[in-house]
Amino acid sequence: MINAEGLTKRYAGGVGIADLSFQVRPGVVTGFLGPNGAGKSTTIKLMLGVIHGEGRTTFNGIEYKHLPDPLRTVGVLVDPGAVHPARTAAGHLRMVAAGGGISAKRVHAVLSTVGLESVANKAVGKFSLGMRQRLGLATALLGDPEYLILDEPANGLDPEGVLWIRHFLKRLAAEGRTVLASSHLLAEMSQLADELVVIAAGKLVAAEPLAQFVRQYTRGEVVVRSAQITPLMVTLGQAGLRVRQEVDELVVDTDDSDVVATVAAKAGIPIRELFVRRSGLEAAFMAATADSVQHKGIWES
């Protein structure tokens, strides 16, 4: 379990992070979301003690600075570009492994895991952004850690790479590890994360299962299909329900499917299909963080 308590970072111009507290459970992938400038990177740096502030973060009860073997406990991906361009991928990993008391045998294993085995002896300066990202993940995995904190792990990856990392992180979580991954790719996060920590303007917005977050910040609507679509539309309207027709189906402005079914049954109108449709993570995120967005563009129609 990762336990963050009262994380606060004050700057000359004000408070960047204000009293953030949340938990990250093992066995699930927790997504870390927030608008640009919300403080995600600052939060991660505070958690790891890279910058100083108030509050504390513990990994199974121990702060990062007090971990006896940090590389074997917490794997971190923050800045994959922080590698000397002349150093090879294998050379970089051997250096990190030596500094952490990790066997050099792990270098070959993690390069194979992230798909960089064929370029192990290639200079990192010649790597694409996606390849650097994979090398950063390999570095985080060197110690076979119980905890993983990954800042934008899918950044720069092609579609195949994004799909790969989604399944890979889910597999790590299924092994009982604790995975915290930040991302601005909401569509991908909706398929990756089981739980969410959402911040805006340096404050906690939500820390809960993804499905619960979506339910809280979006409205559902009932979609109904019937061979008697026009009579059904009239009947639902007479019952006080707002309804619109979309091609061969009706969309009712409610998330209570029982109400729609009851109205149809009382009118003797058979229903072919009935289900609740709800907006996804993107709509929920926009609704939850709308008041904190600093730079808003103008939509043109």
Side-chain angles (χ1 to χ4, degrees), residues 105-127:
K105 294 180 180 179
R106 279 289 296 169
V107 171
H108 173 78
V110 294
L111 283 171
S112 178
T113 296
V114 303
L116 292 180
E117 192 174 17
S118 63
V119 293
N121 296 313
K122 184 176 181 177
V124 176
K126 298 180 180 180
F127 277 16

Side-chain angles (χ1 to χ4, degrees), residues 49-64:
V50 175
I51 59 176
H52 298 293
E54 300 171 31
R56 67 196 296 261
T57 300
T58 57
F59 301 85
N60 196 24
I62 305 173
E63 291 183 75
Y64 186 84

Side-chain angles (χ1 to χ4, degrees), residues 117-223:
E117 192 174 17
S118 63
V119 293
N121 296 313
K122 184 176 181 177
V124 176
K126 298 180 180 180
F127 277 16
S128 66
L129 177 58
M131 292 167 69
R132 286 175 179 266
Q133 199 72 4
R134 287 175 182 262
L135 179 59
L137 182 59
T139 307
L141 295 171
L142 261 179
D144 196 20
E146 179 182 353
Y147 303 90
L148 284 164
I149 297 179
L150 310 173
D151 193 4
E152 300 285 354
N155 189 34
L157 297 180
D158 59 17
E160 184 277 331
V162 171
L163 182 63
W164 165 78
I165 200 166
R166 181 198 309 165
H167 291 299
F168 181 65
L169 294 183
K170 282 183 171 292
R171 193 186 81 197
L172 291 176
E175 293 173 356
R177 302 178 203 251
T178 303
V179 181
L180 177 68
S182 78
S183 180
H184 64 281
L185 302 174
L186 296 179
E188 175 55 28
M189 188 60 73
S190 68
Q191 299 185 67
L192 170 64
D194 305 291
E195 301 190 351
L196 294 177
V197 172
V198 183
I199 67 172
K203 297 180 180 180
L204 185 69
V205 173
E208 59 193 353
L210 185 149
Q212 182 175 322
F213 176 75
V214 171
R215 283 196 303 271
Q216 180 178 352
Y217 287 99
T218 61
R219 293 186 62 184
E221 54 190 16
V222 172
V223 179

Side-chain angles (χ1 to χ4, degrees), residues 7-18 37-47 50-54 201-202 294:
L7 299 183
T8 301
K9 179 62 179 177
R10 304 178 190 278
Y11 295 102
V15 180
I17 298 295
K40 298 190 299 297
S41 294
T42 298
T43 301
I44 290 174
K45 290 175 182 177
L46 280 172
M47 294 172 70
V50 175
I51 59 176
H52 298 293
E54 300 171 31
Q294 296 178 351

